[in-house]
Amino acid sequence: MTIRCTRNSNSLSANNIRFSAVAEVKYVFVTGGVTSSLGKGIISASLAKLLQARGYSVTIQKLDPYINIDPGTLNPYEHGECYVTVDGAETDLDLGHYERFLNVHTTQVNNVTTGRIYQSVINKERRGDYLGKTVQVIPHITDEIKRRIKIVGSGGNYEIVITEIGGTVGDIESLPYIEAVRQMRWEMGPRNCVVIHLTLVPFLQASGELKTKPTQHSVKMLLEDGIQPDVLVLRTEHPLNEDLRKKVALFCNVEPGAVVESIDVTTIYEVPLMMQKEKLDLTVLRKLGLPQGEEPSLSEWKEFLHKLKNPAHQVKIALVGKYVELADAYKSISESFIHAGAANETAVEMAMIHSEEITDANYGTMLDGYDGIVVAPGFGERGIEGKILAANYARKNDIPFLGICFGMQCAVIEFARNVLGLEGAHSAEINPKTKHPVIDLMEEQKSIAVKGGTMRLGSYKCELLHGTKAWECYRKDEISERHRHRYEFNNKYITDFRNAGMIASGTNPESGLVEIIEIPSHRWFVGVQFHAEYSSTVIKPHPLFIGFVRACISK
Ligand code: GLN
């Protein structure tokens, strides 16, 4: 049964869609071939955006083939930033793209790893659920994968679930996922399960040619696993001509219209428009047997792109962190600045500054010339003194400052040492024996010994103080933001800080935990214990980032 929903084509929020009956969920799988980093996440998010703009309720799920239960225990150098959902899941950074594109929250079920799959199966085995049976990859692991895929759409909230399979076809660890997709297609039929395969068409400089062989081989590999892809998205640096598309279609056994070009673009936010031109959404809807509805206007999206490409101002912001070698380590922060920049019609240039390289001797020159300074989140001792110096430089020179999580904690330590004169003040995370633990372990963390998934995670409420910079940004008395930390501002010092000029402008109404600090006498000095960057989207840039960029412009 195909169900149509009452559509609102201008709506950018799936929440506005009303089902006329319980929807039958259709599945789209996105696999990758030839090489990693081709942008499966962006293609998935772009397709979802187009389907959403046509009135469908869509969500995206990422299946990650590694054995960690979630990326929360991974060093950002390994896998980029760890993204956090409102319900407290530590997830792959692709979920950030999904939220930024769709403006809809993802949850615990949107990211599943091999570790999590095996954990469930092993727990069931111990409970005796398979009593008498040999537990195997097929059917037990593949059944658990299918269950995790189907759970996403089971609440009746979505008509289409797009599931992105991490890794590259041919990887040993992806095999059970590919097999699960094969089984789902076999069980539900190709009209309910469409497979999009993303590959690379390399350009050989020497012969001046685009080569399709890697794509052919990668499709062959999928075929060996029992999957004939329905749509091929070809990542390329040069336009693909008709002959090449026909050749790929013929050799890979797909319709000529189902060979889609994905050419390099200057910003990921152009990809939905590019996919619209390539009719990826229409091809998928046709294959799923769903009506196309109205052509999406994407007017707000285009307006954002227009502002992004035609800035009236420019600011230079220093991002001080210790994972700066890897751009993906601060993905959500950089994207938030793209959104907030466009909202302010401002080109935001980000300079990544390694906190380990900032010293007492050089910090004046290293941080000179920026319109704003951001101190990034982080863990552990490495590079912390550089972050504290960056907060000091911003405070003393009246430079707009935004400290995020660890960045906020560094600003507190700096203020304690240099304004309150508390010598050796520190975070108990770095120096558990400090005489002045101005940042201390949260009470509920004291009994926790296990590392994975045990931080203060997900959304918590925060009450804002009127007349503060934070309130000016949000213009609300109560907000809710996402967290990922174990340490907190030590409330024993709150009066001393307030008397010396640093206030808590946001606090959690239940626990009294300090969520935001600021210096009222400064041009714009705000530190947040939460991760504002996780909730900035194209359509709803984050108010704090907007306010910070505005302060940078006025400087
Ligand atoms: N390491 C700090 C804590 O656990 C800050 C964490 C972060 O920046 N995400 O509290």
Side-chain angles (χ1 to χ4, degrees):
M1 173 183 63
T2 300
I3 302 296
R4 296 298 316 122
C5 55
T6 315
R7 54 182 71 248
N8 172 357
S9 61
N10 290 324
S11 158
L12 287 150
S13 159
N15 300 335
N16 291 340
I17 293 164
R18 304 266 176 276
F19 289 102
S20 50
V22 177
E24 176 188 302
V25 184
K26 302 253 184 182
Y27 294 89
V28 177
F29 293 97
V30 180
T31 58
V34 183
T35 170
S36 57
S37 305
L38 290 180
K40 284 195 299 274
I42 302 297
I43 292 294
S44 305
S46 300
L47 172 63
K49 178 85 239 164
L50 294 173
L51 296 174
Q52 186 195 58
R54 285 182 183 275
Y56 286 95
S57 53
V58 195
T59 189
I60 317 180
Q61 179 188 42
K62 173 88 188 275
L63 302 180
D64 276 314
Y66 51 75
I67 297 173
N68 302 63
I69 301 291
D70 58 47
T73 52
L74 285 175
N75 184 319
Y77 286 130
E78 294 275 325
H79 212 69
E81 156 193 290
C82 173
Y83 186 75
V84 177
T85 60
V86 281
D87 64 345
E90 295 179 283
T91 75
D92 184 78
L93 59 81
D94 269 338
L95 269 75
H97 289 308
Y98 307 161
E99 292 205 10
R100 290 187 280 272
F101 275 55
L102 297 182
N103 198 37
V104 172
H105 289 156
T106 53
T107 67
Q108 300 273 354
V109 297
N110 292 74
N111 190 199
V112 181
T113 68
T114 293
R116 178 109 36 213
I117 301 279
Y118 270 79
Q119 190 186 44
S120 306
V121 171
I122 291 168
N123 287 345
K124 282 185 199 161
E125 189 277 337
R126 292 288 81 183
R127 232 173 32 215
D129 292 10
Y130 308 115
L131 227 45
K133 288 266 178 285
T134 309
V135 180
Q136 294 179 296
V137 173
I138 305 171
H140 304 101
I141 294 296
T142 47
D143 279 354
E144 181 61 19
I145 294 173
K146 288 188 288 179
R147 190 180 74 80
R148 296 279 182 160
I149 294 169
K150 290 175 187 165
I151 275 179
V152 183
S154 65
N157 295 327
Y158 303 108
E159 290 171 293
I160 302 171
V161 174
I162 300 176
T163 295
E164 177 193 344
I165 316 279
T168 307
V169 168
D171 295 347
I172 292 175
E173 43 185 30
S174 310
L175 267 175
Y177 294 98
I178 301 292
E179 169 60 12
V181 173
R182 185 196 68 77
Q183 291 180 15
M184 273 188 70
R185 243 164 106 86
W186 180 82
E187 286 162 13
M188 304 174 79
R191 248 173 114 76
N192 293 309
C193 277
V194 160
V195 175
I196 300 176
H197 188 53
L198 174 61
T199 73
L200 176 71
V201 176
F203 180 73
L204 289 193
Q205 199 73 45
S207 59
E209 278 177 305
L210 286 162
K211 303 306 260 180
T212 64
K213 197 70 84 189
T215 298
Q216 295 176 41
H217 280 296
S218 138
V219 170
K220 206 172 260 173
M221 221 177 288
L222 256 187
L223 283 167
E224 278 170 20
D225 296 336
I227 295 178
Q228 165 66 57
D230 303 285
V231 181
L232 294 177
V233 176
L234 309 184
R235 181 75 190 267
T236 174
E237 290 173 4
H238 299 275
L240 309 175
N241 63 31
E242 267 318 295
D243 286 349
L244 186 141
R245 290 187 195 230
K246 271 193 200 141
K247 179 178 167 185
V248 170
L250 177 66
F251 288 9
C252 298
N253 204 22
V254 300
E255 285 172 26
V259 177
V260 167
E261 171 188 290
S262 172
I263 199 160
D264 292 358
V265 277
T266 48
T267 153
I268 54 168
Y269 298 110
E270 271 182 61
V271 180
L273 301 180
M274 183 167 81
M275 288 302 113
Q276 187 181 21
K277 243 187 246 155
E278 288 285 311
K279 300 190 167 55
L280 176 63
D281 52 338
L282 290 179
T283 306
V284 168
L285 286 174
R286 184 163 42 78
K287 297 213 173 267
L288 290 173
L290 292 173
Q292 13 181 294
E294 292 158 39
E295 192 61 19
S297 78
L298 295 174
S299 49
E300 281 180 274
W301 193 273
K302 286 179 185 158
E303 194 187 317
F304 157 77
L305 269 178
H306 179 78
K307 284 190 189 161
L308 185 66
K309 290 181 171 175
N310 300 284
H313 320 273
Q314 186 170 10
V315 292
K316 241 172 108 181
I317 293 172
L319 174 64
V320 180
K322 67 171 170 182
Y323 304 112
V324 291
E325 301 91 335
L326 188 77
D328 275 358
Y330 300 116
K331 195 79 201 159
S332 293
I333 297 179
S334 338
E335 297 304 314
S336 300
F337 276 116
I338 293 176
H339 310 154
N344 281 300
E345 297 185 44
T346 299
V348 178
E349 190 193 319
M350 306 270 296
M352 302 289 194
I353 298 192
H354 205 305
S355 55
E356 270 185 301
E357 288 168 11
I358 302 177
T359 64
D360 271 324
N362 71 10
Y363 78 113
T365 37
M366 266 190 99
L367 296 167
D368 183 35
Y370 294 105
D371 302 306
I373 294 176
V374 180
V375 176
F379 295 84
E381 187 170 15
R382 186 170 68 91
I384 188 174
E385 291 303 327
K387 289 182 170 181
I388 294 171
L389 284 170
N392 175 269
Y393 186 81
R395 182 178 59 78
K396 283 192 323 212
N397 294 290
D398 208 30
I399 298 167
F401 173 88
L402 177 62
I404 305 176
C405 204
F406 202 48
M408 169 265 194
Q409 297 177 356
C410 289
V412 168
I413 297 166
E414 191 280 319
F415 197 88
R417 289 182 188 174
N418 302 315
V419 179
L420 295 178
L422 302 175
E423 210 177 309
H426 223 316
S427 162
E429 175 183 4
I430 315 300
N431 179 8
K433 296 205 175 101
T434 173
K435 265 206 305 201
H436 305 293
V438 287
I439 301 294
D440 206 358
L441 194 60
M442 276 180 275
E443 202 47 46
E444 70 260 31
Q445 286 287 329
K446 292 190 175 153
S447 56
I448 295 174
V450 179
K451 283 275 180 286
T454 55
M455 282 187 249
R456 181 178 184 229
L457 290 168
S459 276
Y460 286 88
K461 283 182 194 158
C462 167
E463 255 170 23
L464 300 179
L465 206 62
H466 268 255
T468 58
K469 304 241 173 24
W471 195 91
E472 281 305 317
C473 290
Y474 287 96
R475 301 198 154 267
K476 263 189 205 168
D477 295 341
E478 191 176 271
I479 56 162
S480 172
E481 292 279 6
R482 303 178 209 189
H483 294 70
R484 182 173 187 250
H485 63 122
R486 293 187 202 281
Y487 294 82
E488 56 159 322
F489 181 94
N490 185 343
N491 269 329
K492 274 188 219 145
Y493 294 89
I494 191 100
T495 320
D496 295 344
F497 272 78
R498 193 189 305 122
N499 293 341
M502 181 181 268
I503 61 159
S505 52
T507 37
N508 178 282
E510 283 113 32
S511 60
L513 287 188
V514 171
E515 301 283 11
I516 312 179
I517 55 99
E518 59 183 82
I519 300 176
S521 62
H522 189 282
R523 177 196 300 271
W524 208 94
F525 193 104
V526 177
V528 289
Q529 184 57 76
F530 49 78
H531 291 264
E533 73 275 21
Y534 292 147
S535 47
S536 179
T537 73
V538 167
I539 299 308
K540 273 182 103 178
H542 196 283
L544 275 179
F545 282 87
I546 296 181
F548 176 68
V549 170
R550 200 178 296 136
C552 295
I553 302 168
S554 71
K555 179 183 170 281

